Amino acid sequence: MHLGATIRLLRVDAGLSLRDLARRIGVSSAYLSRVENGLDAVPTPERLAAIARELDVPPTLLMDAAHRVSPFVAHYLEQVPGASMLLLELARRNLTGRQLARVREFLDTEFPVRVAGQESPIPALASILAPERMVLRLTCTALEDALDVAAGRLAAACPGVSALRLVTELKQREAEASSMVGGGVVVPHAFIEHTAPLAALVTLAKPLPAETPDRVPLQMLVVLVGGERGRAHLMRLAHVSRLASHGLAERLANEDQPQQVLAHLMELEALR
């Protein structure tokens, strides 16, 4: 997984230059550029937390995408050694995502979080998808073809917005900066005034050769449309990236039923 591509994607959509973000987190522009281009190691958890704060997204999103343990978790495990044993027990039982979701429901019921100022909930991708906006195992030869198909599905849910306008906006945004996040996933997106957040999902019958940040061929498009550029949008982009880092494209590659795709997606999101 190429976390640098996600940092660049979020930085561009947040309206920050490379120099601005580097200055805010106390590093050189050259260092941050190397990180974004995958030429330097993934930043430490502490630095990832600083980047997340400046991008106004929860640090857990970037850390999970990078498969890093947050300082909060590390500190907790040091203070409560028994927690490590519980994690081992979960691993020994090889619980599925659905089973872990049941464990989480129990924790939420028995030990609800009551912390003032806790992080905003992550906008769920499944909540803005619908079966009619999924195109599974599409055969095409270029990313532009898949964008045309996705725009057609999204336009049907956006009164007064044509598929031509949508695809034009998507392609213009893609020309500004690539939305490839790695793991075989690309997240094209467009801003259309007065439009509620919507998503379309396209999986490809055969991976497309493309300039992906981690050199994994393109397998899936998660296409987002919405009317606002704020925090919820950035969180959704980061959330899709971390789903990609946990094998979203590979998990859905052979599915041909939209309801099964939604079920898998909801299971993955229940754990995040």
Side-chain angles (χ1 to χ4, degrees), residues 60-80:
T60 51
L61 280 172
L62 293 187
M63 290 186 193
D64 196 22
H67 299 271
R68 289 290 185 94
V69 175
S70 77
F72 175 79
V73 173
H75 178 72
Y76 178 71
L77 292 177
E78 288 179 4
Q79 297 298 311
V80 187

Side-chain angles (χ1 to χ4, degrees), residues 2 11 26 46 58 75 85 91 97 100-102 105 146 166 168 173 180 192 196 209-210 225:
H2 190 306
R11 174 179 62 74
E46 291 78 11
H75 178 72
M85 296 304 298
L100 284 171
R102 289 174 58 193
E105 288 176 7
L166 276 177
T168 299
R173 171 58 189 80
M180 301 277 186
I192 306 292
V225 173

Side-chain angles (χ1 to χ4, degrees), residues 138-150 171 180 186 202 204 206-210 218 221:
L138 175 71
T139 299
C140 64
T141 57
L143 173 60
E144 289 75 12
D145 299 333
L147 285 176
D148 287 337
V149 173
K171 290 178 180 178
M180 301 277 186
V186 63
V202 180
L204 304 175
K206 292 184 179 180
L208 284 177
L218 184 61
L221 292 80

Side-chain angles (χ1 to χ4, degrees), residues 101-176:
R102 289 174 58 193
V103 173
R104 183 169 182 171
E105 288 176 7
F106 170 79
L107 291 174
D108 288 340
T109 300
E110 295 295 320
F111 309 103
V113 177
R114 294 189 180 92
V115 180
Q118 61 182 300
E119 289 180 352
S120 303
I122 308 302
L125 179 59
S127 68
I128 59 172
L129 265 175
E132 62 270 18
R133 293 196 297 278
M134 295 185 196
V135 181
L136 305 179
R137 300 186 59 75
L138 175 71
T139 299
C140 64
T141 57
L143 173 60
E144 289 75 12
D145 299 333
L147 285 176
D148 287 337
V149 173
R153 298 300 178 94
L154 285 163
C158 297
V161 181
S162 69
L164 177 59
R165 181 185 175 188
L166 276 177
V167 79
T168 299
E169 295 284 347
L170 289 167
K171 290 178 180 178
Q172 285 180 348
R173 171 58 189 80
E174 200 64 21
E176 293 173 8

Side-chain angles (χ1 to χ4, degrees), residues 123-129 199 201 222 224 239-240 243 248 265 269:
L125 179 59
S127 68
I128 59 172
L129 265 175
L201 186 146
V222 178
L224 304 176
H239 176 53
V240 173
L243 291 175
L248 179 66
L265 184 55
E269 292 192 303

